[in-house]
Structures are given as structure tokens and as C-alpha cells.
Amino acid sequence: MRGARSLATSWPVSEKLWWEAPMEQPGPCGGPLSAKAASFQDAVRTLNTLQTNANYLEQVKRQRGDPQTQLEAMKLYLARSGLQVEDLDQLNIIHITGTKGKGSTCAFTERILRSYGLKTGFFSSPHLVQVRERIRINGQPISPELFTKYFWRLYHRLEETKDDSSCVSMPGYFRFLTLMAFHVFLQEKVDLAVMEVGIGGAYDCTNIVKKPVVCGVSSLGIDHTGLLGDTMEKIAWQKGGIFKCGIPAFTVLQPDGPLAVLRDRAQQISCPLYLCPPLEALEEGGPLLTLGLEGEHQQSNAALALQLARCWLQQKGYQDTGELKASRPSLLGQLPLAPVFQPTSHMQHGLRDTEWPGRTQLLRRGPLTWYLDGAHTTSSMQACVRWFRQALHSRERPGGGSEVRVLLFNSTGDRDSAALLKLLQPCQFDYTIFCPNLTEVSSTDNADQQNFTVTLDQVLLRCLAHQQHWSRLHEDQASPEAGGPAPLLLAPRPAHTHSTSSLVFSCISHALQWISQGRDPVFQPASPPRVLFAHPVAGSGAIVLQEAATIHVLVTGSLHLVGGVLKLLEPSLSQ
């Protein structure tokens, strides 16, 4: 790690914090942005001052002695904003939690119900490129104009109603967006709202909802252990906290221990909980279902979404909900099995047309294929590796020329990056790239990408730690420390088996410039800085990438990393 400090501080980082910079940002032609666009950026910058996820987690950890107070505080914020908890019943909410696949389940569920002609609201986290992605109507992020209008309306309302005796006048970042989503969905008169839990369930701020129409729990795993507990059973207890008396709930096949916890939680409050049959059971005697999201693990998410959507439709008096098939006893005997039915044409189309960027997403660009998946737990990384290897196996082989595999990785928070990297090792990458979740070295021109909780030094030291983990995986014994600082990159000694060279870049843009070598027809930045090729591995690798017939790039480890990559590869997402 010698030289890491000079490595991290040798780049041209803006010394001005956002509140010191002029609010008027340059437009694409050098002129100022319109007042409308500037107002949206102002709203996002003001939102960023409330809290970031990292700060929020630390606050909750400190206060978790009485987590129920967190829900009570959320109810007070809701009242100050002009709503009562009972008002949320008008939203006909589908409440979904889980460790893996809850976002994909939400996306499937929303798309199925939209296929019925319903006006849908969808609240999710985190965002990939723009914060307004978190609040969607009919599958689309609300417009900058709508976001700006509702943001300032809520912000000013909370300012006007603050108690001078209270030291906290504003809710944190996630709480504020949750409140804002409730207001948006009510004012825009959606027929239903799909609400994704932020973290956990029992004490998540979305759990102030008293009467959802139906609840769902996707696959469970280990994540946020400092907040939710360090066993699957403890985490299951937290997730089961969204169950409500008399409100139907569904879950997918889980390990015996966590499933028993979910069953007990449901029984304690008289919540009817059902186990979803596998997707194949719903396909029997009918057409095979096509999913808009790739990967075998999406079948479990789709099966849960079908049950949630069908239950919602039935609760609301819809007739076209699929013909029942012969029911079977529960596979485990712990829970009753949910209905086995023939998915309707609306359901089939909804599953087929589901889009959820950054999750098992492929982008084919000339010789490059980008594989984007925000897996960040060991179980989700296992699913990601299976998807990536299956995709490689089924691809068309190039007629001639070499094939190169590249891993672009980052991991944040308290996650075990060494464990995640070990799972990726069998993919046999030729190059492994580590970089922070920074689109550019300085992100002051884009409020959506700003993060004030970490310094450039901190995130780069984390990347160097990832690189050391990767090096150890490929060597029989720890390699000696790299001698002397490098301008942008560090590389360990070659591995003993499949040799993987690793590099550290200062930002996502520099990493993509080196990987793509100008061969991505959409991502065409200005000429890369010469320092990108200063390290011997970078120089020799550039030649290999320039001459390769095909380049397969897996981007994983962090949804925020995937979001930064998408921002550069898909400029339309920033519009």
C-alpha cells in the first residue's frame, strides 16, 4: 500500500465544494442551463444535503436500541407534510421486501399490472443515473419538472412546520424521498403503488403503511448485517416485519430456518402467508413464459410477481386473473402453496416486456459486449456468475481473432469484497479493473452523482484493497508490495494459473476509456490522458484490446458502479 496517499491526491480534484460553486451550470454549448434545468439540479443538490445512505445507516445503527421510534418519527414527518397514515390506503400498495431480487420482483409486478391498463406508481432504490428514477409513473421516471415541483412543495412544507425545539427539522435522504413518493402518487392519482422496502422491513420507513393490498418477500440472503443481524433467521425476522393482520403475503422457496421464521411471524399476527410454486408449474399445459430479464434466478422473482399481481387483481375485483389448475400440497409442509394458475395474456406480455436496467443487462456494441449486474451479496454474485458464464457459453464464437474477458469491479460499505471476488475467480478474466463509483474524477457538475460522505483518498484505498484481495486469490502466497507509486495504476505479479493483470483507475470514465479503446461506437470520449497508458500492463493491455475480435466486460459488485457505467454508455438515461 506504500504510495497510496500520493496516488490518491495526485489527480486534479476540484477543491470547491458544491455550495461554494456557482449555481448556474454551463449548458451543452457553453451557455447557462435553462432555469427549469437549473431548478431541478438545485433540488437534487438540496436533497443531497439531507443525508446519504451511508450516513443514514450509521444513524440508524446508533439509534437501533429503540427502532420503533424510527417509525414513529416517520409518521410525524408524514403528518407535518400534510398527510395521515390512513391516506396511504388510497394508494392500493403492493409492499415488497427481500435480500435478492426485490427490485426485479417489483419491476415484474409493476409491468404486469400496467399491461392491464392500470396507472402504476413504483418507488425503488437506489437510482442508477438520476434520482428521479426512484419515483416512477407507468414505468417511467417522473420528469425533472414534476420532481422539482413536488420536491420544493414538500421541502417548504416541512420547513414551515418544523418545531423550534427539535434539532432535526428535515427527514433524511431516503425518508424524504419516501414521503415525496407518497405525495406524488396521491396527487398524480395512480391506481396502485409498488413500494420496494429500502433496508430490512420491520423498521424501514416504508413500513408506516397500515393496509397494503398484498405483501411479498423475495429470496433472503446475508446483507446489512450491522443493521439487520448476522444470520438468515435474524434477517428473516426483519423482513417479516412488513406482514399485516389479514393482508395476504407471498414468499418464494427459502432455507428451512428463515422460512420457519417467516411462517411464525405471519402466524403471530394472523397474516395469511403462501409459498409460491415454481414458474414451471404455471407453465405446465400452456406456453413457456418469456422473461424480459435474463438469468435463471429471475424465474423465482417472476413467480412471486405473478402471485402478487394476481392477488392484487382479485382483491380489487378483476375477473381476468388466470384459470386455476389442480393444486398441489406444499413442498415443505411449512406453508400452504399459492394457487397454480394459467397466466393470462396480460401477465405473459408483462413478464416479457419488463425492463430493469443494471440487473443482468447486456449491451452489445461492436466488438464489445457489456454485462451489467449490480450484484453485491454473495448469493446475488453467485447468480451473476452463473448468468455471465451461461451467456458466454451460448454466445456466437468469433470466426477468428482473440477473445478478451474484463472484470470491472467495486464494492462499498461493510460488504465482504474478498468473498465476492473469490466467486468471480472461475470466470477467468484476462484483466481486472478496479475503480471508485465516480463517473469522473470530479462530479461537481452532476448533482445526481455527488457523494459527500467519502473522500477520494478513501475510495481509492478501498480499490487498492480490492486489488490486493484479487492478487492473493491468484498467488500461492502474498505477493511483495508493489515498489513505488504509479501515476494511475498498480499491477500485481502474474498469477500462477490463468494470469489476470489488474489495474486501478481513478474514475469510471478512465476505466471505460482504457477498456473500450475507442471501439464502442456510442462511448466516444475525447482522447484519453496519456497517463492512462503509463503503466506497463496498461500499455501492453491496450494493444491486446485494440486487436481483440471480441471483448466481454462484466461490471458488478455495486449498483452505484453499474449506474455510473450506464450514465456513460447510455447518454439518453441522463436526459
Side-chain angles (χ1 to χ4, degrees), residues 81-220:
S81 76
L83 293 176
Q84 297 301 315
V85 171
E86 292 73 20
D87 295 327
L88 306 182
D89 298 343
Q90 302 172 40
L91 292 176
N92 301 315
I93 287 171
I94 300 174
H95 202 194
I96 300 175
T97 189
T99 308
K100 303 173 292 178
K102 62 181 168 43
S104 298
T105 300
C106 288
F108 278 129
T109 305
E110 182 277 330
R111 190 63 187 88
I112 290 170
L113 292 171
R114 183 155 39 103
S115 294
Y116 278 82
L118 295 161
K119 184 175 183 178
T120 62
F122 180 9
F123 177 68
S124 65
S125 61
H127 62 275
L128 293 177
V129 178
Q130 296 195 62
V131 67
R132 58 191 182 88
E133 297 166 22
R134 296 181 182 228
I135 304 175
R136 296 172 180 260
I137 294 178
N138 285 335
Q140 295 300 312
I142 60 173
S143 67
E145 294 79 12
L146 267 187
F147 185 96
T148 303
K149 180 179 82 171
Y150 284 110
F151 174 85
W152 289 117
R153 182 181 293 176
L154 176 59
Y155 189 89
H156 293 318
R157 174 70 177 172
L158 291 171
E159 276 287 320
E160 293 165 0
T161 57
K162 67 182 179 182
D163 183 354
D164 292 336
S165 64
S166 173
C167 60
V168 181
S169 64
M170 283 289 171
Y173 185 95
F174 185 78
R175 282 182 181 173
F176 188 99
L177 287 171
T178 306
L179 291 169
M180 184 172 156
F182 290 144
H183 280 271
V184 170
F185 296 153
L186 284 167
Q187 291 297 314
E188 298 298 317
K189 295 180 171 51
V190 299
D191 295 316
L192 67 115
V194 178
M195 300 291 295
E196 179 189 0
V197 166
I199 295 173
Y203 305 119
D204 186 75
C205 64
T206 63
N207 205 30
I208 61 171
V209 175
K210 285 186 175 179
K211 294 181 179 178
V213 175
V214 61
C215 298
V217 181
S218 67
S219 296
L220 298 178

Side-chain angles (χ1 to χ4, degrees), residues 4 21-22 45-46 208 230 247 285 291 305 315 394 439 448 477 482 487 491 524 559:
R45 288 191 179 93
T46 304
I208 61 171
D230 56 2
I247 304 297
L291 305 185
Q315 296 283 321
S394 62
T439 308
D448 287 284
Q477 55 186 0
Q524 292 288 324
L559 268 172

Side-chain angles (χ1 to χ4, degrees), residues 95-379:
H95 202 194
I96 300 175
T97 189
T99 308
K100 303 173 292 178
K102 62 181 168 43
S104 298
T105 300
C106 288
F108 278 129
T109 305
E110 182 277 330
R111 190 63 187 88
I112 290 170
L113 292 171
R114 183 155 39 103
S115 294
Y116 278 82
L118 295 161
K119 184 175 183 178
T120 62
F122 180 9
F123 177 68
S124 65
S125 61
H127 62 275
L128 293 177
V129 178
Q130 296 195 62
V131 67
R132 58 191 182 88
E133 297 166 22
R134 296 181 182 228
I135 304 175
R136 296 172 180 260
I137 294 178
N138 285 335
Q140 295 300 312
I142 60 173
S143 67
E145 294 79 12
L146 267 187
F147 185 96
T148 303
K149 180 179 82 171
Y150 284 110
F151 174 85
W152 289 117
R153 182 181 293 176
L154 176 59
Y155 189 89
H156 293 318
R157 174 70 177 172
L158 291 171
E159 276 287 320
E160 293 165 0
T161 57
K162 67 182 179 182
D163 183 354
D164 292 336
S165 64
S166 173
C167 60
V168 181
S169 64
M170 283 289 171
Y173 185 95
F174 185 78
R175 282 182 181 173
F176 188 99
L177 287 171
T178 306
L179 291 169
M180 184 172 156
F182 290 144
H183 280 271
V184 170
F185 296 153
L186 284 167
Q187 291 297 314
E188 298 298 317
K189 295 180 171 51
V190 299
D191 295 316
L192 67 115
V194 178
M195 300 291 295
E196 179 189 0
V197 166
I199 295 173
Y203 305 119
D204 186 75
C205 64
T206 63
N207 205 30
I208 61 171
V209 175
K210 285 186 175 179
K211 294 181 179 178
V213 175
V214 61
C215 298
V217 181
S218 67
S219 296
L220 298 178
I222 301 293
D223 197 16
H224 298 298
T225 54
L227 193 61
L228 305 180
D230 56 2
T231 68
M232 291 270 283
E233 286 74 17
K234 291 178 182 177
I235 291 172
W237 189 93
Q238 293 281 351
K239 305 292 183 181
I242 70 168
F243 296 157
K244 304 293 186 296
C245 177
I247 304 297
F250 297 84
T251 189
V252 297
L253 191 62
Q254 314 278 6
D256 289 350
L259 191 64
V261 172
L262 292 177
R263 178 202 62 201
D264 293 345
R265 284 282 261 167
Q267 289 178 348
Q268 288 167 6
I269 61 167
S270 300
C271 164
L273 176 63
Y274 302 93
L275 184 67
C276 294
L279 202 62
E280 303 84 57
L282 276 63
E283 292 176 319
E284 289 178 7
L288 294 178
L289 299 172
T290 301
L291 305 185
L293 306 183
E294 296 197 12
E296 287 185 359
H297 57 289
Q298 296 294 355
Q299 295 186 16
S300 168
N301 301 328
L304 176 55
L306 283 168
Q307 297 291 343
L308 294 171
R310 183 175 188 270
C311 180
W312 190 96
L313 290 165
Q314 288 188 319
Q315 296 283 321
K316 294 302 171 182
Y318 284 78
Q319 300 300 316
D320 184 18
T321 60
E323 182 180 348
L324 278 178
K325 301 180 180 180
S327 185
R328 301 181 300 178
S330 171
L331 299 176
L332 299 180
Q334 288 198 34
L335 292 175
L337 196 68
V340 179
F341 62 92
Q342 175 66 50
T344 67
S345 60
H346 290 308
M347 294 174 182
Q348 295 173 35
H349 293 155
L351 292 176
R352 181 197 64 198
D353 296 340
T354 298
E355 296 179 355
W356 195 226
R359 289 81 169 176
T360 59
Q361 181 180 4
L362 262 69
L363 292 176
R364 293 183 174 87
R365 303 282 184 74
L368 288 118
T369 302
W370 302 90
Y371 302 77
L372 309 172
D373 190 77
H376 52 272
T377 67
T378 52
S379 49

Side-chain angles (χ1 to χ4, degrees), residues 41-60:
Q41 289 293 308
D42 291 350
V44 178
R45 288 191 179 93
T46 304
L47 172 66
N48 288 345
T49 67
L50 299 181
Q51 264 174 347
T52 66
N53 190 49
N55 278 346
Y56 172 70
L57 290 180
E58 287 304 316
Q59 176 187 326
V60 173

Side-chain angles (χ1 to χ4, degrees), residues 405-409 421 429-435 463-475 479 482 486 488-495 498-505 514-515 532 535-541:
R405 297 182 189 179
V406 181
L407 170 66
L408 178 57
F409 178 90
L421 288 168
F429 295 102
D430 300 290
Y431 297 95
T432 299
I433 310 303
F434 302 99
C435 71
C463 289
L464 292 170
H466 298 334
Q467 188 188 44
Q468 287 192 336
H469 290 315
W470 187 252
S471 176
R472 292 190 193 105
L473 288 171
H474 285 268
E475 298 180 352
S479 62
L488 274 176
L489 319 159
L490 293 176
R493 292 167 55 192
H498 184 89
S499 178
T500 301
S501 298
S502 66
L503 305 168
V504 173
F505 286 91
W514 184 81
I515 294 169
L532 288 189
H535 194 282
V537 171
S540 61

